Amino acid sequence: MLKRQQLSRCQMANSMYCLFPNRFLCQLLLLCGMMSIVAIGCETNETSTKEEEGLGPHTSPVTEAALTGLDSLDEKALPMPSRALQPGDWFEDVTDRTGIRVGYQNGREADLYTIVETVGGGVAMIDYDQDGDLDLFIPGGGRITGPPPRFEGLPSALYRNDGEFRFVDVTAQAGLEIAGDYSLGCAVGDYDQDHFPDLLVTCYGTSRLYHNNRAGGFEDVTTTSGLSLDGFYTSAVWADVDRDGWEDLYIAGYVRCEGSEDINCIEAIRGVRDTCGPWHYPPLGDRLYRNRRDGTFVDITEGSGVRKDGKGLGVLATDIDRNGWIDFYVANDTVANHLYLGRADAKFDETGLVAGVSVGYAGTPEGSMGVDIGDFDGDGRGDLFVTNFEMEDNALYRAVSETSFADRTLQANLGDTCRRYVGFGTGFADFDLDGWLDLFVINGNVHYATGRTSYLQPAFIFQNRGGYFENVSNRAGPYFSVAHAGRGAAVGDLDDDGSLDLVIVHQNQPVTLLRNRLEQKGWARVSLRATDSAPNAVGATVMAEHGGRTLVRHVRAGSGYLSHFDQRILLPAVDDQPQQINVRWPSGRQEVFTNVPLRETTELVEGTGQNDS
């Protein structure tokens, strides 16, 4: 997420500008990087870049009314009006009519510049009451007091979906009104197989497990579950690593900073204090817990193959190499990303460097945050996308075999556009339902004053034009014309109209709900329930014919950043013609489901389809 101190790292980051013919500009940028390394690596303040963006150092579209209860927005922030909604815009901001008025708070008002406040937060789309539509869970973040810094959690929020983008606050009713520790993100799973989703909330402090009581509420079972998650934990995923039918837990650890959160980092040129980078702290290391099938877990990290040198911010789970066992891809901050390929003995081989997904195209580790998998080019394999820090292009790794990838960022037209920004939330999603997976990227700086661009940054939508991407943010809607301190986001169909919507979390600004306005004529949606592995079917693939091509979609967990997406699979369909859908289950069984109806959700249960031999 944050840049390293090493001079070679800074030189390589600046050298990306040398793709242009202006040699003097290259030398000037390189000299600037070398000068600023004296204090905090490459951290400089490029006001000229901000002026080019037209954003100013602290712009914000948020009104005073929208900031009720959110008192930590920078007092220097100036309103930046968004453009009006236009015909043909992809998304409409419907937040005002939803009843959702909460936002993630990071404790910035304390002016203590801790690394903790740079990371959160996320959002989960979760049908907690099993009524068929997606509700929303939003971690609250926390307050910071001191010095020395002390961290206090703020309550999270649970909103029930009552249809047509109307949501009701049921936080207290669900027993979630009591704040835990300083929360960051969330993960959704059904660890006890009662068909009601449970919640894991990651925290700086003690991450907490909430069991769904099937009566509209949750119970904190952290202590009785055997989970021991004290530290700086970020993203987490539920997946069945040993294929015993029960969901296990992988959780990414960031850094160890307890007792040293108040390191003073001063930008060299102007003498301005700002947040510190992760190179000041040792890695915390990731953890892997096996489900004991009795409501408790055992730590199996030791000997599993999970490394201790990662600084994890994003983690993705699915069957990447298509061998029937769960794999994990971990986005690490300023150190190499990790690719863990699962084996039949529930152990993992870390192959990131060999597979070509551990570093960027410059050959150095990057500051990685958000991550997702999807078949962007239609060849049937799952490709990986990772968001990165400023002066580092987000990375698109195209699968060239089951176990190897090639960086295709530039060839897919994804270079340069987001290079100046700090990418967090992201995901593959077929927003226009043409059969090609589009991309969204949510940006926001971690430095308040010393970043190369503003703390508040624009988000982007990239339309897939058949294996390469076009930046269509200028027609994505008014939200994309203004800057935010973006972090996590989730994609899913909140109103069940066949169009994928977006929920976006910002730091110290209200959550935004974007309704997809693109009309979808024919579509089919399926949810999967496995019987020979964990019911959530993470690791399965769904295939359907459309427009002369075979569409491949992955059932995955951990997409994006600190968040949980709608795990139902949405597919385009020819109007009035039921679909035939093929499923490859985690068990290896392949089945065909015929006459899948359109414009509704159909549950596909393993063992009830026709064998596809």
Side-chain angles (χ1 to χ4, degrees), residues 148-219:
R150 293 182 296 275
F151 299 86
E152 173 190 352
L154 291 172
S156 299
L158 178 66
Y159 281 88
R160 187 185 68 229
N161 188 341
D162 278 0
E164 298 182 357
F165 282 94
R166 295 190 303 267
F167 290 81
V168 177
D169 188 341
V170 294
T171 309
Q173 177 183 327
L176 295 171
E177 76 281 9
I178 300 175
D181 287 343
Y182 186 109
S183 58
L184 302 168
C186 47
V188 175
D190 179 15
Y191 74 88
D192 60 348
Q193 289 198 18
D194 65 355
H195 304 295
F196 279 76
D198 309 301
L199 269 169
L200 181 84
V201 180
T202 61
C203 297
Y204 177 72
T206 300
S207 297
R208 298 185 181 274
L209 177 62
Y210 295 94
H211 174 248
N212 192 322
N213 65 13
R214 298 185 292 174
F218 291 85
E219 177 188 1

Side-chain angles (χ1 to χ4, degrees), residues 112-174:
L112 293 176
Y113 302 97
T114 69
I115 190 173
V116 177
E117 66 199 75
T118 66
V119 174
V123 58
M125 292 183 174
I126 172 177
D127 184 7
Y128 85 100
D129 52 3
Q130 290 295 280
D131 65 351
D133 53 22
L134 294 170
D135 313 300
L136 295 175
F137 176 81
I138 305 161
R143 295 191 183 97
I144 306 173
T145 58
R150 293 182 296 275
F151 299 86
E152 173 190 352
L154 291 172
S156 299
L158 178 66
Y159 281 88
R160 187 185 68 229
N161 188 341
D162 278 0
E164 298 182 357
F165 282 94
R166 295 190 303 267
F167 290 81
V168 177
D169 188 341
V170 294
T171 309
Q173 177 183 327

Side-chain angles (χ1 to χ4, degrees), residues 426-467:
T426 192
F428 287 108
D430 190 359
F431 290 119
D432 55 358
L433 215 59
D434 64 352
W436 295 94
L437 291 173
D438 311 306
L439 268 172
F440 70 90
V441 176
I442 309 300
N443 298 306
N445 218 319
V446 298
H447 297 315
Y448 299 128
T450 61
R452 292 180 180 270
T453 51
S454 307
Y455 174 63
L456 306 180
Q457 300 181 348
F460 290 85
I461 295 288
F462 297 95
Q463 184 180 24
N464 192 328
R465 306 293 286 179

Side-chain angles (χ1 to χ4, degrees), residues 91-100 123-129 131-138 158-168 431 489-505 511-518 520 523 525 564-568 570 601:
F91 293 95
E92 174 188 6
D93 187 338
V94 296
T95 310
D96 286 346
R97 79 183 199 216
T98 64
I100 297 178
V123 58
M125 292 183 174
I126 172 177
D127 184 7
Y128 85 100
D129 52 3
D131 65 351
D133 53 22
L134 294 170
D135 313 300
L136 295 175
F137 176 81
I138 305 161
L158 178 66
Y159 281 88
R160 187 185 68 229
N161 188 341
D162 278 0
E164 298 182 357
F165 282 94
R166 295 190 303 267
F167 290 81
V168 177
F431 290 119
V491 61
D493 189 355
L494 291 173
D495 55 352
D496 287 331
D497 66 347
S499 296
L500 295 173
D501 311 301
L502 272 170
V503 179
I504 304 171
V505 173
V511 169
T512 293
L513 275 71
L514 299 179
R515 181 182 73 87
N516 189 330
R517 303 174 70 243
L518 301 178
Q520 316 298 359
W523 53 273
R525 179 167 44 229
H564 181 81
F565 290 14
D566 181 358
Q567 289 186 295
R568 302 172 299 178
L570 182 66
T601 301

